[in-house]
Amino acid sequence: AQTVTQSQPEMSVQEAETVTLSCTYDTSESNYYLFWYKQPPSRQMILVIRQEAYKQQNATENRFSVNFQKAAKSFSLKISDSQLGDTAMYFCAFITKETSGSRLTFGEGTQLTVNP
Amino acid sequence: DTGVSQDPRHKITKRGQNVTFRCDPISEHNRLYWYRQTLGQGPEFLTYFQNEAQLEKSRLLSDRFSAERPKGSFSTLEIQRTEQGDSAMYLCASSQDGLAGVLTQYFGPGTRLTVL
């Protein structure tokens, strides 16, 4: 079975500080992609960042970066210079192409609150 | 706006009634997905289409659920004889096959269903 685990149901951070959200996953496949999605309150889910498993270099998108540890099956998200607009539920997800088609498998989510 | 759109955004119905939701994907995207999200959880895959072909269905998709994408453009998800357990957010996403291989899914705002 393919699973995603986010062990932090809730986290908070002060504005302008840095926070790291954890994610671990389990799959027997070698070709897959990892994603972080953000879902603000009552708003739609948007893509934050993605990582191809075959790439060793960690992805970055402005204030967002990942720490991808393939051997440990870990994919954490670091948010630098946190802003109030970063308050949202964050979902880690992955997708494979071989046996599960194109379905995304999501974690349970981490509710991040940025405090002023 | 050329993002994924869903209609209606909210639906309240009585148990036993039938409901139908519509999703319009990003215009050039050939793949379309349906997910269900209950409160405080990550989305769970229901089904997906490549063009007009329904290629995969989750075990979550009981006989009361049916999805169509007749012309490979918009899709509908129908729930017959609704039950209170069907209350959830129904999310639609779309993606485009590409040479890069990664199938990034872009989500719509969702349809929130409440079954009384």
Side-chain angles (χ1 to χ4, degrees), chain A residues 3-96:
Chain A
T3 59
V4 178
T5 301
Q6 295 179 246
S7 58
Q8 306 151 315
E10 297 180 357
M11 293 193 71
S12 63
V13 64
Q14 292 299 121
E15 197 174 6
E17 294 187 346
T18 295
V19 64
T20 298
L21 309 183
S22 301
C23 172
T24 58
Y25 60 93
D26 188 23
T27 180
S28 59
E29 300 185 22
S30 59
N31 185 16
Y32 54 90
Y33 308 91
L34 296 157
F35 304 84
W36 279 97
Y37 281 89
K38 165 186 176 181
Q39 190 175 39
S42 300
R43 297 183 64 184
Q44 70 192 78
M45 192 167 312
I46 59 175
L47 178 68
V48 175
I49 197 167
R50 72 184 191 198
Q51 172 83 42
E52 288 89 334
Y54 63 86
K55 290 186 177 179
Q56 293 183 335
Q57 185 173 5
N58 289 324
T60 63
E61 286 287 343
N62 300 315
R63 299 182 295 108
F64 299 89
S65 62
V66 298
N67 183 5
F68 175 44
Q69 301 290 328
K70 190 172 185 178
K73 295 182 179 176
S74 170
F75 183 60
S76 61
L77 174 70
K78 186 172 80 171
I79 306 174
S80 304
D81 186 25
S82 297
Q83 301 176 0
L84 296 178
D86 295 333
T87 293
M89 182 74 88
Y90 286 80
F91 292 99
C92 177
F94 82 96
I95 192 169
T96 70

Side-chain angles (χ1 to χ4, degrees), chain B:
Chain B
D1 184 14
T2 57
V4 178
S5 62
Q6 293 187 245
D7 183 70
R9 295 290 304 277
H10 302 274
K11 178 70 176 179
I12 300 174
T13 190
K14 294 182 178 179
R15 187 177 56 186
Q17 297 294 307
N18 299 344
V19 294
T20 300
F21 311 140
R22 176 180 171 126
C23 171
D24 287 87
I26 295 172
S27 58
E28 63 269 24
H29 285 187
N30 64 331
R31 295 193 182 217
L32 186 147
Y33 313 80
W34 285 99
Y35 292 85
R36 183 173 71 186
Q37 184 180 24
T38 53
L39 198 61
Q41 299 296 315
E44 296 174 293
F45 172 80
L46 292 177
T47 188
Y48 94 94
F49 294 83
Q50 183 173 358
N51 300 313
E52 65 274 11
Q54 188 174 18
L55 297 187
E56 189 175 353
K57 293 193 291 185
S58 162
R59 286 171 293 178
L60 293 175
L61 213 65
S62 75
D63 291 344
R64 297 185 296 106
F65 288 70
S66 63
E68 294 182 344
R69 195 183 183 197
K71 297 182 180 179
S73 56
F74 73 91
S75 175
T76 58
L77 177 68
E78 181 183 16
I79 308 174
Q80 296 181 329
R81 305 180 302 282
T82 53
E83 302 173 355
Q84 289 183 326
D86 297 331
S87 295
M89 177 77 84
Y90 290 84
L91 298 171
C92 177
S94 69
S95 70
Q96 174 64 35
D97 290 344
L99 295 177
V102 59
L103 299 173
T104 299
Q105 296 181 21
Y106 297 90
F107 283 81
T111 294
R112 181 167 295 283
L113 173 66
T114 302
V115 181
L116 303 176

